[in-house]
Amino acid sequence: MRHHWKIITGFIVTFVVLLPPTIYISFEMAFRGRPYPGVRVSPAFSIIYNKQIAIGEFVFTPKDISVSVDWPETRKKLLETGRSGNFINDLETKYAAYTNSVFVDPVINYDSVLLEEFIASAATKINKPVVEPKFKLLNGKVTEFVEGSSGKRVDESLLKARILTAMFGGEEYRTVEIPVSILEPSIQTGEMTADNLGIKTLLGRGASTYKGSIPGRKYNVALTATKIDGTLISPGAVFSFNDTVGDISRETGFQEAYVIMEGRTVLGDGGGVCQDSTTLFRAVLSAGLPVIERRAHAYRVGYYEQNSPPGFDATVYSPTTDFKFINDTPAYILIQAKADNQATALIVELWGTSDGRVATTTKPIITDQAPPPPDLYQDDPSLPPGTIKQVDWKAFGAKVKFDYHVERYGEILSHQTFSSNYRPWQAVFLRGTGG
């Protein structure tokens, strides 16, 4: 009986106490320098590598920053799995790997310089500088006016963190919101003199183009714009174009260009000034201000129909013909005028305080259209024989009418009808007869 217990005890010692450590040691020796069975690289890289991430209006892929697997470091992670030094935890990891597999995320590298360049490029397209308001008065006229506006700035550090989270995160991370901060001007409008005068809002805007103008005409358009630019109109005051521009002559800096005089188109000082009065007329209509005096040109001038239907022009000729309107708003009105001779474009803006008025104009009605008279040829002994020089240009005649209506919260402030009677205009050619 005692012999049997020795056999049993030996069996227990051999198979329960001594054999498992021997097997375990053999197992460890077999996989020294190698990952344990079932320890595998996860498929995360293929998911990451093929992602497309929407970042605002931009599309970003990991390929853009040269994403790649760091195989030496990944192999090191595989070898370290199940070898933490905690016997129980390591045993559980090895068992899980052997029975079901344990996946290890690969070590992924990317080009941080390319990522920084991508973020900087995106930020450049979004960032907007703050515009500080400017307002300067000199002798009652505004010499500098810039409306303040807020800016935008991308938080590049936060954007980088969000991109990396989206890139290395799960399938759901496919979009990134660009973090943008709103930057306000350091000088608020309330601190400006402009605010005290009520110059807060764009009330109306007029635009015209003058393609095909001769150099003298372009010069005069730009010069006139500088004369009306910065003008302040007090509440209740009547604006006179002629009074504001002053004398139009060579002595005051104007050049020769074509003007309408005594039924003809001739060279005269200040040709092109009506481009400014016409554009101001359109700004006044846009702002809903009452027009006191306006007269159409004798014939349809092509410059004023380049970006407008007929009937929206206003001629001036001091001292007989003026363009006038009244400031019936509760605050000052500032005129801003800018001519771009390279683009042959003129903009006139009226700034002030909005009182809620809304202006509308109807589509112009064109009637009684008449063709131009036959071309007229006149002998000119000052020109060499055979020379033909055009000095006037044909235009169709017509009557044009449109309505101008201004309301404020249902109350009718004004209703005006503007009529224009354009004469048919004859082309005139000089024929050289000189000896």
Side-chain angles (χ1 to χ4, degrees):
M1 186 71 176
R2 190 175 294 172
H3 177 70
H4 288 162
W5 276 110
K6 287 182 179 180
I7 294 173
I8 293 171
T9 302
F11 179 84
I12 292 172
V13 169
T14 301
F15 288 96
V16 176
V17 178
L18 298 177
L19 188 58
T22 302
I23 296 172
Y24 184 81
I25 292 170
S26 298
F27 178 81
E28 289 294 327
M29 293 295 292
F31 288 97
R32 175 175 289 182
R34 292 194 296 159
Y36 289 119
V39 176
R40 310 176 189 277
V41 178
S42 78
F45 177 70
S46 62
I47 296 173
I48 292 169
Y49 193 72
N50 293 300
K51 272 188 176 182
Q52 281 194 335
I53 303 169
I55 305 174
E57 63 182 52
F58 310 100
V59 176
F60 173 83
T61 68
K63 300 172 188 177
D64 296 331
I65 56 173
S66 301
V67 167
S68 63
V69 174
D70 186 333
W71 287 112
E73 289 298 317
T74 300
R75 178 176 173 78
K76 185 178 177 182
K77 280 185 70 175
L78 292 172
L79 290 173
E80 290 173 349
T81 303
R83 294 183 172 96
S84 68
N86 185 310
F87 180 78
I88 300 299
N89 289 342
D90 288 344
L91 194 61
E92 289 177 351
T93 299
K94 290 174 219 179
Y95 180 77
Y98 186 75
T99 57
N100 195 33
S101 295
V102 169
F103 290 99
V104 176
D105 288 336
V107 177
I108 297 176
N109 291 334
Y110 64 90
D111 191 325
S112 59
V113 173
L114 290 178
L115 179 58
E116 297 287 350
E117 288 176 353
F118 173 85
I119 293 172
S121 176
T124 299
K125 295 176 182 178
I126 296 171
N127 288 345
K128 177 185 173 185
V130 173
V131 177
E132 297 290 347
K134 296 179 182 178
F135 187 84
K136 292 182 181 179
L137 274 170
L138 182 63
N139 299 326
K141 189 169 182 176
V142 177
T143 58
E144 186 175 14
F145 172 70
V146 176
E147 183 193 19
S149 63
S150 59
K152 295 188 292 184
R153 184 172 60 206
V154 173
D155 186 333
E156 296 187 24
S157 297
L158 181 55
L159 177 57
K160 180 179 179 180
R162 290 182 178 181
I163 290 174
L164 293 175
T165 299
M167 187 167 67
F168 295 117
E171 280 290 319
E172 69 275 14
Y173 293 102
R174 291 286 181 152
T175 60
V176 169
E177 182 180 352
I178 300 176
V180 178
S181 300
I182 303 300
L183 309 175
E184 297 297 341
S186 58
I187 304 174
Q188 298 299 316
T189 307
E191 302 170 20
M192 302 295 291
T193 308
D195 188 65
N196 298 333
L197 296 174
I199 300 168
K200 307 174 183 178
T201 308
L202 178 62
L203 302 179
R205 185 176 188 271
S208 68
T209 58
Y210 44 99
K211 296 179 178 67
S213 293
I214 63 174
R217 188 176 193 277
K218 291 181 181 179
Y219 179 87
N220 293 336
V221 170
L223 177 60
T224 307
T226 64
K227 290 182 177 290
I228 64 173
D229 181 59
T231 300
L232 278 173
I233 309 167
S234 60
V238 173
F239 171 88
S240 164
F241 187 90
N242 289 345
D243 289 348
T244 303
V245 175
D247 180 48
I248 299 174
S249 65
R250 197 171 304 177
E251 287 72 25
T252 55
F254 287 90
Q255 297 182 5
E256 275 197 336
Y258 289 107
V259 298
I260 302 173
M261 185 183 299
E262 297 177 358
R264 287 286 303 275
T265 305
V266 297
L267 286 172
D269 293 346
V273 168
C274 293
Q275 191 83 39
D276 298 81
S277 57
T278 290
T279 312
L280 178 59
F281 173 48
R282 296 172 185 179
V284 169
L285 295 179
S286 173
L289 302 172
V291 176
I292 305 300
E293 182 179 339
R294 173 263 176 185
R295 183 180 297 176
H297 287 78
Y299 67 90
R300 292 172 65 176
V301 179
Y303 299 120
Y304 309 135
E305 296 182 23
Q306 289 182 0
N307 71 331
S308 169
F312 288 83
D313 60 303
T315 186
V316 290
Y317 192 81
S318 184
T320 58
T321 304
D322 200 354
F323 173 66
K324 296 179 180 180
F325 66 92
I326 188 170
N327 174 11
D328 65 340
T329 73
Y332 279 80
I333 288 177
L334 170 65
I335 298 177
Q336 291 277 278
K338 184 177 182 181
D340 184 344
N341 279 345
Q342 187 172 358
T344 57
L346 176 64
I347 300 294
V348 177
E349 294 179 340
L350 302 179
W351 291 77
T353 297
S354 173
D355 59 1
R357 69 182 64 191
V358 177
T360 56
T361 56
T362 60
K363 183 178 179 180
I365 299 172
I366 304 173
T367 60
D368 298 336
Q369 297 193 65
D375 295 347
L376 174 65
Y377 287 84
Q378 297 176 329
D379 291 341
D380 187 340
S382 67
L383 295 176
T387 302
I388 301 295
K389 181 180 179 182
Q390 187 171 7
V391 294
D392 219 332
W393 290 261
K394 68 178 66 176
F396 273 72
K399 291 182 180 179
V400 181
K401 180 173 68 174
F402 71 88
D403 291 331
Y404 171 53
H405 189 78
V406 183
E407 286 190 11
R408 181 177 57 210
Y409 308 123
E411 175 191 2
I412 299 175
L413 298 184
S414 66
H415 184 89
Q416 294 176 267
T417 298
F418 291 98
S419 299
S420 305
N421 188 7
Y422 301 111
R423 293 159 48 191
W425 210 254
Q426 184 178 48
V428 177
F429 297 86
L430 300 180
R431 183 167 45 209
T433 60

